Amino acid sequence: MKEALSRIALTAKADIAAAGNPAALEAARVKYLGKKGELTAILKGMGALSPDGRREIGQIANETRAAIEAELGSRLQELKSKELDARLLAERLDVTMPGTHHPMGGRHPIQLVLDELKEIFLGMGFDVVEGPEVETDYYNFEALNIPKDHPARDTQDTFYISDNVILRTQTSPVQIRTMEQRKPPIRVIAPGRVYRSDAVDATHSPLFHQVEGLVVDKGITMSDLKGTLDTFAKRLYGPETVTRFRPHHFPFTEPSAELDVMCFSCHGEGCRLCKGEGWIEILGCGMVHPKVLSICGIDPEEYSGFAFGLGLDRIVMRRYNIDDLRLLFENDLRFLTQF
């Protein structure tokens, strides 16, 4: 048995040294130290020895096992070190080489202008509020003083899901919900998508974007409305911007008006851009109708307010001189990467 143990120690050392990877090293371990390994076989045959013989052979066997385990551990560390060196060599980077360009996404032109509008109104103390795009007839029409026989309720203009559920045609329902949930003073803007049954062309789309505003407090007058919107226009288009208010009609405001800005191209003389008018309409506005305040639980004898709404897509088109609304919705990167 001594000769066998000596032979095992020598052949195990040679096999371990020859192992070129962890799998071969594991095979060598199983060959000598496994349940059916050569060293284990010798230990199983020690039962036939005398007590002194078992003691002697057992000591030699333990020393052999310890030596083999030490060789295995040492060789495993060598293999791991070589593997790491190979990986470092394979994954080596030349930090002086130029990096690989990864194209980055950007904000959509609608989002760019919306962010700018938000900054303007946030700077004037407004909050940004949102509401559902699928609305009830009550919030979209009735609470806004739009009676049942009003043309705006026509199915040719409105997407009806059921008799009482529609896709909102304006963000004005958010104003109603805000007045129901908050007590004055109220100063909010409500941006979002709206839907109307329009045919798609260069200036119309069944889906478009609005930004509406609402202020309700004691002592709010038409001069507050004019001052706010004049400041907004100058912040948006520049301090030289000239504005005018024209009388108009909206069921939910009284009096109502439309805000125009003097044409940036002809400065009021009339040109192709402004269709010969010299002015360009940008939004509708007015003092909140007392009936709308009452519907929302606000006493019109104590409070007053003003509201306004603008088509965000039209503002974007004017800002970037875009002549076709469809370009904003086609997701053509050749167009969008310009922004």
Side-chain angles (χ1 to χ4, degrees):
M1 285 190 177
K2 289 182 181 181
E3 292 77 8
L5 289 171
S6 178
R7 179 185 54 78
I8 289 173
L10 291 174
T11 56
K13 184 175 182 179
D15 289 346
I16 291 170
N21 54 63
L25 191 64
E26 174 64 13
R29 186 195 68 80
V30 173
K31 177 181 178 181
Y32 294 103
L33 303 182
K35 291 183 178 180
K36 298 181 180 180
E38 295 183 16
L39 184 60
T40 305
I42 290 178
L43 294 175
K44 290 180 178 179
M46 289 174 57
L49 300 176
S50 64
D52 290 338
R54 285 198 299 270
R55 187 163 42 250
E56 181 182 5
I57 297 302
Q59 182 178 353
I60 297 173
N62 288 335
E63 291 173 354
T64 302
R65 175 184 289 276
I68 293 174
E69 290 176 343
E71 291 288 341
L72 289 168
S74 177
R75 183 58 178 163
L76 181 60
Q77 291 302 317
E78 289 179 10
L79 293 174
K80 286 184 176 180
S81 179
K82 288 182 179 180
E83 182 182 3
L84 178 60
D85 290 342
R87 285 184 57 192
L88 291 175
L89 183 62
E91 298 173 4
R92 182 176 58 186
L93 298 176
D94 184 353
V95 295
T96 65
M97 291 181 65
T100 302
H101 175 68
H102 297 284
M104 299 293 290
R107 288 181 294 171
H108 193 278
I110 290 177
Q111 189 63 50
L112 286 169
V113 176
L114 176 57
D115 289 344
E116 186 176 353
L117 297 186
K118 286 181 179 179
E119 286 298 317
I120 292 173
F121 285 109
L122 288 171
M124 291 193 284
F126 284 72
D127 295 330
V128 179
V129 293
E130 297 180 344
E133 296 178 16
V134 178
E135 266 294 2
T136 64
D137 178 274
Y138 172 80
Y139 282 106
N140 198 81
F141 294 126
E142 190 173 338
L144 289 165
N145 197 32
I146 300 176
K148 293 289 185 183
D149 57 352
H150 195 280
R153 292 174 177 250
D154 195 321
T155 56
Q156 299 301 312
D157 296 321
T158 305
F159 289 107
Y160 277 84
I161 297 174
S162 68
D163 290 341
N164 191 48
V165 179
I166 65 171
L167 296 181
R168 67 181 182 185
T169 61
Q170 54 204 354
T171 56
S172 301
V174 183
Q175 298 183 27
I176 300 299
R177 292 178 179 275
T178 300
M179 285 189 283
E180 287 181 343
Q181 297 166 6
R182 298 189 185 184
K183 294 182 179 180
I186 297 170
R187 188 180 289 112
V188 297
I189 59 169
R193 288 185 292 263
V194 297
Y195 307 86
R196 294 182 189 175
S197 184
D198 289 331
V200 178
D201 59 29
T203 57
H204 296 86
S205 170
L207 179 153
F208 55 102
H209 299 78
Q210 281 189 345
V211 178
E212 297 199 7
L214 172 70
V215 173
V216 179
D217 202 353
K218 295 180 179 179
I220 297 296
T221 66
M222 193 73 176
S223 63
D224 297 306
L225 167 63
K226 295 182 68 175
T228 299
L229 295 183
D230 187 69
T231 300
F232 159 69
K234 285 178 166 58
R235 290 282 301 278
L236 184 64
Y237 294 117
E240 300 81 14
T241 302
V242 179
T243 61
R244 76 173 184 183
F245 289 80
R246 290 182 293 105
H248 197 67
H249 169 72
F250 299 109
F252 35 83
T253 55
E254 180 60 37
S256 305
E258 288 190 337
L259 173 66
D260 301 335
V261 296
M262 184 176 289
C263 179
F264 323 110
S265 178
C266 67
H267 303 288
E269 296 296 325
C271 66
R272 184 183 66 84
L273 179 64
C274 61
K275 299 179 180 179
E277 296 291 331
W279 297 85
I280 299 174
E281 174 196 339
I282 64 170
L283 59 83
C285 59
M287 302 300 294
V288 180
H289 199 292
K291 186 174 180 181
V292 175
L293 293 175
S294 297
I295 289 173
C296 297
I298 297 175
D299 185 358
E301 297 295 329
E302 183 177 3
Y303 294 99
S304 58
F306 66 78
F308 58 88
L310 57 89
L312 178 60
D313 310 281
R314 301 286 177 87
I315 298 293
V316 174
M317 293 174 70
R318 295 189 182 107
R319 166 57 59 85
Y320 296 117
N321 294 320
I322 299 170
D323 59 4
D324 195 324
L325 179 65
R326 290 169 290 194
L327 291 170
L328 296 174
F329 301 102
E330 291 174 346
N331 294 325
D332 189 332
L333 289 178
R334 294 172 298 179
F335 168 74
L336 294 176
T337 49
Q338 299 177 73
F339 306 95

